């Protein structure tokens, strides 16, 4: 689908200008509201004293971001020491390396976080070891997984972990880190267990298998914040030909400098945009004009993207030192226009997990049991995938809405792809559109409302039901001018996304498999 360079440049210019203009409007409107009501600023508890040389408050409402910074602050020296010892063992006593991964993780968690955290972290691997040792099959693994996730979500929202970990001077970030780690450990336990059942074909767990599982599930750089690396990829790190140490260290230093710069930029921006903190008083958000509110939605997406680029990029860099190949960092949400690309390219590790263990097995099982059109198989397999996503992220209302809207978007995409393969569309393309450029414009026009729906669905994930509902309500009240501005901007974004679809993120080393 090719457009001439001039037209494509216009779309790029419109989309970039729309982003800058909406963010500027957000900053101006936010400043006007807070300056007119200075007493409100003191009531926004998530606005705290920022960098002294700036002389502004800082938005500290994102607990994921503060927890990540806390983790890297307390662990970076330990992670470097762990790598040095790991490299020594890899070159001298390779058979002890997995034992070292286990010992180093247990030592760090116990000494830094406390033995109670270690108990929580070990609970899931022990349960799965018991399942596999007793000859459990894939069905028992999945039943156990769903029950554990439901139990975890119930305990999480009853503040069980806060009470269990209650000891003197505990940091909130420590509690959030253990909450995050339980979710990531669950994925790694599922990955190992399903691979084990497939690989061993009925054989029981032995000591070597237990060491394999624990070294994988407890691997420290990825323990608390991800990303998910599948077990087969983890295992390959012990078999892969060793790269030059100097080359790995150079890349690591470069990556650390880049991600540290990104961290400083993100913290700097949080001194100027308070959209998250203002959500503690929804009346302030409701006072924002339409374009400023759109800027708030854009900012939430950009902040979410930058946060995970830094998080996944940093921990992935430590894993790369140990000869692992972490998933590429997330693609910017400002260059993605359809749901399938968001799932495929944002959290690539999670996408690979979902495809390998849920979507493809589900599709294959349904295909064997039923005689239905191919699209039905895909939609049912996708539904099973999104049910797991909902349970894994948390069984709360705004996550359910986000999951339903995402599944609706994926369904519309599947239907659109099926229509594009029909003879009627082929004739329409030949007789009406006539060129690839016109087809690109036609597809961009169709995807524009889908992009709007995708954005609003993500607002439920970023900020919860109240903010998501507000955006839906605003859409129905848009003036004609605002609707035109938003429509042209989203249409331009679709063209930008299609033009950049084959351009990978900075850290990509291999192609991400697509599900068709």
């Amino acid at each position: 689908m090719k457009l001439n360079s001039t037209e494509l440049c216009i779309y790029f210019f419109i989309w970039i200008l729309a982003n800058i203009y909406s963010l500027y409007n957000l900053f101006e409107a936010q400043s006007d509201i807070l300056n007119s009501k200075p007493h409100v600023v003191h009531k926004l508890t998530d606005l705290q004293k920022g960098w002294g040389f700036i002389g502004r408050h800082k938005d500290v409402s994102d607990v994921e971001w503060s927890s990540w910074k806390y983790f890297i602050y307390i662990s970076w020296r330990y992670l470097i020491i762990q790598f040095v010892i790991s490299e020594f063992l890899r070159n001298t006593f390779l058979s002890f390396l997995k034992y070292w991964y286990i010992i180093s993780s247990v030592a760090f968690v116990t000494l830094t976080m406390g033995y109670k955290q270690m108990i929580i972290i070990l609970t899931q691997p022990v349960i799965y070891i018991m399942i596999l040792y007793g000859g459990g099959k894939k069905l028992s693994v999945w039943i156990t997984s769903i029950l554990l996730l439901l139990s975890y979500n119930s305990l999480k929202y009853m503040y069980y972990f806060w009470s269990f970990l209650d000891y003197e001077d505990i940091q909130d970030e420590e509690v959030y880190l253990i909450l995050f780690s339980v979710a990531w450990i669950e994925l790694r336990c599922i990955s190992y267990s399903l691979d084990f059942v497939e690989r061993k074909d009925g054989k029981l767990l032995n000591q070597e298998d237990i060491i394999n599982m624990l070294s994988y599930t407890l691997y420290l750089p990825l323990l608390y914040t991800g990303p998910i690396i599948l077990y087969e990829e983890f295992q390959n790190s012990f078999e892969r030909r060793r790269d030059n140490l100097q080359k790995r260290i150079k890349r690591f230093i470069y990556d650390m400098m880049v991600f540290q710069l990104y961290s400083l930029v993100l913290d700097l921006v949080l001194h100027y945009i308070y959209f998250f903190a203002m959500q503690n008083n929804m009346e302030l958000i409701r006072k924002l004009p339409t374009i400023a509110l759109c800027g708030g939605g854009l900012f939430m997406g950009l902040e979410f993207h930058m946060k995970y680029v830094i998080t996944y990029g940093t921990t992935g860099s430590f894993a790369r030192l140990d000869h692992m190949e972490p998933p590429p960092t997330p693609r910017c949400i400002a260059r993605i226009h359809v749901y399938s690309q968001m799932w495929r390219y944002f959290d690539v590790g999670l996408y690979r997990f979902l495809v390998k263990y849920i979507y493809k097995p589900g599709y294959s099982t349904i295909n064997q049991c039923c005689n239905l059109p191919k699209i039905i198989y895909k939609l049912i397999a996708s539904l099973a995938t999104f049910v797991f996503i909902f349970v894994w992220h948390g069984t709360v209302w705004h996550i359910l809405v986000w999951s339903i809207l995402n599944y609706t978007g994926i369904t519309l995409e599947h239907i659109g792809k099926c229509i594009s393969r029909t003879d009627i569309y082929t004739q329409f393309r030949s007789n009406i559109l006539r060129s690839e450029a016109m087809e690109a414009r036609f597809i961009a026009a169709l995807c524009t409302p889908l992009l709007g729906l995708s954005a609003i669905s993500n607002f439920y994930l970023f900020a919860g039901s109240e903010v998501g509902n507000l955006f839906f309500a605003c859409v129905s009240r848009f003036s004609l001018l605002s609707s035109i501005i938003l429509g042209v901007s989203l249409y331009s974004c679709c063209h930008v996304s299609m033009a950049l679809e084959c351009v990978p993120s900075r850290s990509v080393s291999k192609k991400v498999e697509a599900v068709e």
Side-chain angles (χ1 to χ4, degrees), residues 64 124 149 152 177-190 216-217 222-229 308 311-312 347 349-350 353 392:
E64 283 188 339
Q124 289 185 103
L149 283 174
Y152 161 67
L177 283 173
I178 194 63
L179 293 175
F180 302 151
S181 71
V182 169
W184 289 114
I185 291 171
E186 175 84 359
L187 296 188
R188 287 192 286 273
C189 286
I190 293 173
Y216 170 57
T217 55
L222 309 180
L223 179 62
Y224 284 102
T225 60
I228 178 67
I229 293 180
Y308 276 94
T311 303
Y312 286 177
D347 193 332
L350 180 59
F353 175 92
W392 186 69

Side-chain angles (χ1 to χ4, degrees), residues 135-339:
K137 303 297 182 182
K138 290 183 178 180
L139 181 60
S140 58
V141 170
W142 276 118
I143 292 175
T144 302
S145 302
I146 297 300
L147 291 176
L148 284 173
L149 283 174
L150 292 174
S151 301
Y152 161 67
N153 288 327
S154 300
L155 295 173
K156 178 172 63 175
Y157 295 108
M158 292 172 60
Y159 296 97
Y160 169 79
F161 290 98
W162 267 266
S163 60
F164 180 78
L165 295 172
D166 185 29
Y167 55 86
E168 191 175 348
D169 298 328
I170 187 173
Q171 301 284 331
D172 286 346
E173 287 81 4
E174 293 181 56
V175 182
Y176 284 113
L177 283 173
I178 194 63
L179 293 175
F180 302 151
S181 71
V182 169
W184 289 114
I185 291 171
E186 175 84 359
L187 296 188
R188 287 192 286 273
C189 286
I190 293 173
S191 177
Y192 180 86
S193 299
L194 294 179
D195 283 3
F196 175 84
V197 172
E198 188 81 24
R199 184 176 65 253
K200 290 293 186 175
D201 193 24
K203 293 183 180 178
L204 299 181
L205 208 68
N206 57 37
Q207 181 180 342
E208 182 182 359
D209 298 322
I210 294 174
I211 295 300
N212 289 339
M213 182 180 192
L214 291 177
S215 63
Y216 170 57
T217 55
L218 301 181
Y219 180 65
L220 184 58
L222 309 180
L223 179 62
Y224 284 102
T225 60
I228 178 67
I229 293 180
L230 303 185
Y231 175 70
E232 62 179 343
E233 297 168 344
F234 175 81
Q235 186 62 29
N236 287 340
S237 69
F238 300 94
E239 302 166 0
R240 187 178 291 116
R241 184 178 62 84
R242 291 188 286 274
D243 297 327
N244 179 271
L245 176 61
Q246 186 178 8
K247 181 180 178 181
R248 278 182 286 140
I249 292 178
K250 282 183 177 180
R251 175 166 183 179
F252 174 78
I253 293 173
Y254 172 76
D255 286 343
M256 289 300 103
M257 292 173 63
V258 169
F259 295 128
Q260 182 62 32
L261 176 61
Y262 288 172
S263 299
L264 292 173
V265 170
L266 180 55
D267 276 334
L268 176 64
V269 171
L270 291 172
H271 282 79
Y272 289 91
I273 297 184
Y274 305 144
F275 190 74
F276 284 107
M278 290 171 66
Q279 291 168 25
N280 286 334
N281 186 341
M282 283 301 296
E283 290 304 314
L284 300 180
I285 300 295
R286 293 188 179 94
K287 290 181 179 180
L288 292 173
T290 301
I291 300 301
L293 192 61
C294 292
L298 174 65
F299 172 73
M300 287 194 295
L302 293 175
E303 191 267 352
F304 188 79
H305 162 255
M306 183 65 77
K307 174 176 62 181
Y308 276 94
V309 166
I310 297 166
T311 303
Y312 286 177
T314 303
T315 54
S317 295
F318 278 102
R320 190 176 287 109
L321 282 175
D322 286 325
H323 300 276
M324 298 175 202
E325 191 54 53
T329 53
R331 283 193 184 182
C332 180
I333 57 99
R335 55 171 285 196
I336 295 177
H337 73 295
V338 289
Y339 285 87

Side-chain angles (χ1 to χ4, degrees), residues 1-4 435-438 440-441:
M1 300 178 186
K2 295 182 180 179
L3 300 174
N4 65 69
S435 68
E436 288 186 344
M438 280 302 300
R441 299 184 189 107

Side-chain angles (χ1 to χ4, degrees), residues 52-69:
F53 67 94
I54 293 181
R56 291 181 60 90
H57 289 89
K58 180 184 176 184
D59 187 340
V60 296
S61 53
D62 192 330
V63 296
E64 283 188 339
W65 178 235
S66 60
S67 298
W68 152 249
K69 290 194 296 182

Side-chain angles (χ1 to χ4, degrees), residues 350-363:
L350 180 59
Y351 174 81
R352 289 171 177 165
F353 175 92
L354 296 172
V355 170
K356 179 176 180 180
Y357 298 113
I358 303 178
Y359 182 86
K360 285 186 174 180
Y363 181 92

Side-chain angles (χ1 to χ4, degrees), residues 431-499:
N431 300 330
I432 305 298
L433 300 178
R434 296 187 178 181
S435 68
E436 288 186 344
M438 280 302 300
E439 186 177 22
R441 299 184 189 107
F442 176 70
I443 292 174
L446 291 179
C447 289
T448 296
L450 194 63
L451 174 58
L453 180 64
S454 172
I456 294 177
S457 73
N458 286 328
F459 299 158
Y460 281 92
L461 174 66
F462 301 153
S465 299
E466 234 182 330
V467 173
N469 293 339
L470 176 62
F471 275 91
F472 262 125
C474 285
V475 169
S476 63
R477 300 197 303 266
F478 271 5
S479 65
L480 178 60
L481 178 60
S482 297
S483 299
I484 292 174
I485 292 174
L486 182 61
V488 171
S489 300
L490 294 180
Y491 176 76
S492 300
C493 176
C494 291
H495 280 291
V496 170
S497 176
M498 289 189 289

Side-chain angles (χ1 to χ4, degrees), residues 397-446:
W397 176 251
H398 69 274
I399 298 296
L400 176 62
V401 175
W402 170 68
S403 302
I404 291 173
L405 291 176
N406 271 262
Y407 179 68
T408 302
I410 291 290
T411 301
L412 293 174
E413 280 190 56
H414 277 312
I415 294 172
K417 288 178 181 178
C418 288
I419 293 174
S420 70
R421 299 187 183 106
T422 62
D423 293 336
I424 294 176
Y425 180 79
T426 301
Q427 294 176 6
F428 173 76
R429 181 172 54 194
S430 301
N431 300 330
I432 305 298
L433 300 178
R434 296 187 178 181
S435 68
E436 288 186 344
M438 280 302 300
E439 186 177 22
R441 299 184 189 107
F442 176 70
I443 292 174
L446 291 179

